Amino acid sequence: MDLVPALDEPLKKVLGPATAKVMAEFLGLHTVGDLLHHYPRRYEERGQLTHLADLPMDEHVTVVAQVADARLVTFSSPKAPRGKGQRLEVTITDGSGRLQLVFFGKGAHKPHKELLPGTRALFAGKVSVFNRRLQLAHPAYELLRGDGEEAIDKWAGSLIPIYPATAKLESWKIGKSIQTVLPSAQEAVDPLPDSLRDGRGLLPLPEALLKIHQPRTKADCTDARDRLKWDEAFVLQVALARRRYVDAQLPAVARKPTPDGLLTAFDAKLPFTLTEGQRKVSKEIFDDLATEHPMHRLLQGEVGSGKTLVALRAMLAVVDAGGQAAMLAPTEVLAQQHHRSITEMMGELAEGGMLGGAEQATKVVLLTGSMGAAGRRQALLDLVTGEAGIVIGTHALIEDKVQFHDLGLVVVDEQHRFGVEQRDALRGKGKQPPHLLVMTATPIPRTVAMTVFGDLETSVLDQLPAGRSPIASHVVPAADKPHFLARAWERVREEVGNGHQAYVVCPRIGDEEDSSAKKKSPEDEAEKRPPLAVLDIADQLAKGPLQGLKVEVLHGRMQPDDKDAVMRRFAAGETDVLVATTVIEVGVNVPNATVMVIMDADRFGVSQLHQLRGRVGRGSAAGLCLLVTEMPEASAARQRLNAVATTLDGFELSRIDLEQRREGDVLGQAQSGARTSLRMLTVIEDEEIIAEAREEAAAVVAADPDLEHLPALRTALDALLDEEREQYLEKG
């Protein structure tokens, strides 16, 4: 819905090459249509002050405030000896808090004249911390002058749109550019069917665009938002409804487990009973497998809720029915871990064709890129002959050489880590489209599942198996309270002393080339040091606070055999402390590991921290997770860590994560590489609109699958689904 043909005019023709270049590079805006869909984030009223008390760290902000005082300070420095240096310090206030602005050298002259006490202005800059206080260094500003007829007309009583901006282009400059192209809004083609728009009392699109950028009242903003949210929700849901419609036409082989087959034998040897949730979800999956259309199901579950067991039972049912099942894992460590745990769970049932194998047994093979030639040849042979009923592998499963006898089910673990082409290539290996089960341990709120995975039916496992232990989580503020960090290492020693093991997780490996020459990210600039590294920390711990303990490292650039050997030693209890990157994030299961210390925890996302934490507390002993950070107490990063420390509910954390990321692309930025498709819609707050749009979309597609009678909707859909997105949705 970004572009409509009438608004395809490139911005460089309208705004000039310099502005257009910045908009393209930093905001991803290329045409008049793109710019019209760059909506204000919020509005300022004349006389209403923003809350300085709520400023987020490290973000580019725009505030309306009044100058409380300004003073010019002289100082000496290597560049300005003998007290020739000048610094202008300005304090601004908005009633809720105060904020310091600083201008140096020649940059201080103009603001010194203009920013006099009592002056009101719009200020824009990046919030940083200096001497433990928030400040804006060299902010851009625009004075809000109250004199002169024009100024009074412009500001009095009007709402000032504040746009998502960048350091290169302030909000008010974006606003001026939008005013230039606003007349083109009249040519916007309306994607909503008339009946839907009239039935719900929504504004026509040109009027909505006008009111969002130039509202006269708060009601204008609300009406425009309601309309634009519907556009986004509806066009996206139509795309997903068409995807479901196409899938429903595909043929598939129904796979019903044979009575007294492999599945029955497996269930009989399980040393525990399935949880109520596992039974319910298994039934949903078996019902899907029994139909002659491909299953498309998302299985999401809390960390440790037993998803692998549910997936294994589905794979055994397909093998019983004469087919083969393939499980695709994102890393070699995880593929090996799955292979190990599945063969252990199956016992003699995984020894098909071998001496001592059970009568109903099948072969379970592992296929990864780093296998030796002989092992690989044998695995490929077992697949093409049908000897192997189950294969577990990484991307190596996708290669052209890999042929299946009869692929009936594809299980994708940790779906967010796979590109579309990879899933599609594996699904293409069946004689008919195989059934698809997608698993994720990152819990997803209902509406997000409806939006991101709108073409999949969803099953949820939220019950933990009996015998799982609670995990206590604490934030360790290493900069504020260094003795807390010392105590953290003592706790690790205590756990090891009690016969347990520990993980230490770092954001980086540490054998990279010197990164100081590389362009630093804004976060690195802000924190003035690179993230902590596995190799450095392992060395420091082994020589320092954890001296005498057996410390090993694990990271993605190690040789696969070495990785496997390290994991085996850790699983066998031979290693006390494993210092690792996030390769241990999913699927690694060592019940004896009870404590995890996450270094630079603020560098990880909320869901990732929840995943990592799920590696401890997997046995009968209680788990402990320590989140180490140097970020100041008032920062957004610390609030995020506090949220992780206070709840173990993954669904609650995923809501927090989403609210904080706000503008993540729900169509899967990783898959499409395209810009965010949701500007106005927030998947958490707009639950009702998404659910209603889904119903409306299903009805529209059922009545007119090719949208022949709705050309404007078809145009909006083509714009949303540029080629990469089209593929993403096509491939599910």
Side-chain angles (χ1 to χ4, degrees), residues 186-401:
Q186 294 306 326
E187 297 176 51
V189 181
D190 200 326
L192 293 191
D194 295 346
S195 56
L196 191 159
R197 197 177 63 233
D198 298 343
R200 294 185 176 274
L202 299 168
L203 298 178
L205 181 57
E207 193 182 332
L209 288 170
L210 210 60
K211 285 186 169 171
I212 200 78
H213 293 298
Q214 226 175 38
R216 297 190 181 287
T217 62
K218 286 184 178 170
D220 280 356
C221 304
T222 307
D223 293 347
R225 277 175 186 281
D226 289 350
R227 162 59 217 243
L228 295 167
K229 282 180 177 183
W230 255 96
D231 270 22
E232 289 177 4
F234 181 70
V235 176
L236 182 53
Q237 290 301 335
V238 166
L240 293 164
R242 291 185 72 212
R243 175 80 185 85
R244 291 195 299 275
Y245 179 84
V246 170
D247 282 344
Q249 316 305 312
L250 291 173
V253 179
R255 309 280 179 175
K256 295 177 184 164
T258 47
D260 303 326
L262 188 54
L263 180 61
T264 311
F266 175 74
D267 284 349
K269 70 191 286 300
L270 273 179
F272 50 81
T273 55
L274 297 178
T275 65
E276 184 55 44
Q278 285 172 324
R279 277 202 292 275
K280 178 175 142 298
V281 169
S282 289
K283 183 182 183 313
E284 291 169 353
I285 292 170
F286 291 153
D287 289 349
D288 281 357
L289 290 173
T291 65
E292 294 184 354
H293 298 293
M295 163 172 83
H296 289 97
R297 188 167 283 280
L298 170 69
L299 170 57
Q300 51 167 328
E302 270 294 7
V303 176
S305 57
K307 289 180 300 301
T308 311
L309 178 63
V310 169
L312 175 57
R313 294 185 73 241
M315 293 197 283
L316 296 175
V318 168
V319 175
D320 265 350
Q324 290 168 294
M327 181 185 256
L328 191 56
T331 64
E332 294 214 350
V333 169
L334 191 53
Q336 286 161 342
Q337 174 91 22
H338 275 320
H339 183 253
R340 205 159 39 237
S341 62
I342 282 173
T343 47
E344 277 168 16
M345 277 197 273
M346 287 175 65
E348 72 276 11
L349 296 174
E351 296 170 0
M354 296 181 226
L355 225 58
E359 186 190 338
Q360 305 95 326
T362 186
K363 243 187 188 180
V364 179
V365 301
L366 175 69
L367 190 64
T368 64
S370 61
M371 284 171 76
R376 190 178 171 75
R377 251 199 319 275
Q378 185 59 52
L380 291 172
L381 189 65
D382 288 343
L383 285 181
V384 75
T385 58
E387 191 82 6
I390 293 174
V391 58
I392 293 144
T394 53
H395 303 117
L397 280 177
I398 292 162
E399 291 167 14
D400 291 344
K401 289 198 223 29

Side-chain angles (χ1 to χ4, degrees), residues 63-214:
V63 296
V64 176
Q66 190 162 330
V67 176
D69 63 65
R71 64 199 188 102
L72 201 57
V73 181
T74 55
F75 61 90
S76 298
S77 72
K79 286 184 181 174
R82 296 193 299 280
K84 291 272 180 70
Q86 284 197 322
R87 178 173 74 240
L88 177 66
E89 295 178 352
V90 179
T91 306
I92 58 172
T93 178
D94 67 352
S96 75
R98 295 165 86 82
L99 178 66
Q100 187 165 52
L101 318 176
V102 289
F103 301 87
F104 292 99
K106 289 183 181 149
H109 298 330
K110 186 165 175 265
H112 189 216
K113 285 196 207 110
E114 294 184 335
L115 297 179
L116 304 171
T119 309
R120 284 168 50 73
L122 280 155
F123 298 95
K126 189 172 178 182
V127 183
S128 58
V129 172
F130 181 71
N131 278 347
R132 308 188 72 78
R133 287 171 64 196
L134 295 181
Q135 70 166 28
L136 296 182
H138 284 279
Y141 62 88
E142 178 151 298
L143 303 178
L144 299 182
R145 294 191 172 88
D147 49 15
E149 283 305 308
E150 194 183 333
I152 289 168
D153 282 352
K154 185 172 176 188
W155 297 110
S158 71
L159 294 166
I160 308 164
I162 305 293
Y163 290 94
T166 78
K168 302 275 182 204
L169 202 63
E170 294 86 24
S171 167
W172 52 85
K173 288 186 183 162
I174 295 170
K176 283 175 181 168
S177 300
I178 285 174
Q179 293 307 315
T180 307
V181 301
L182 203 51
S184 309
Q186 294 306 326
E187 297 176 51
V189 181
D190 200 326
L192 293 191
D194 295 346
S195 56
L196 191 159
R197 197 177 63 233
D198 298 343
R200 294 185 176 274
L202 299 168
L203 298 178
L205 181 57
E207 193 182 332
L209 288 170
L210 210 60
K211 285 186 169 171
I212 200 78
H213 293 298
Q214 226 175 38

Side-chain angles (χ1 to χ4, degrees), residues 436-451:
L436 175 70
L437 179 65
V438 166
M439 297 199 297
T440 176
T442 309
I444 306 164
R446 192 177 76 96
T447 42
V448 183
M450 263 194 227
T451 331

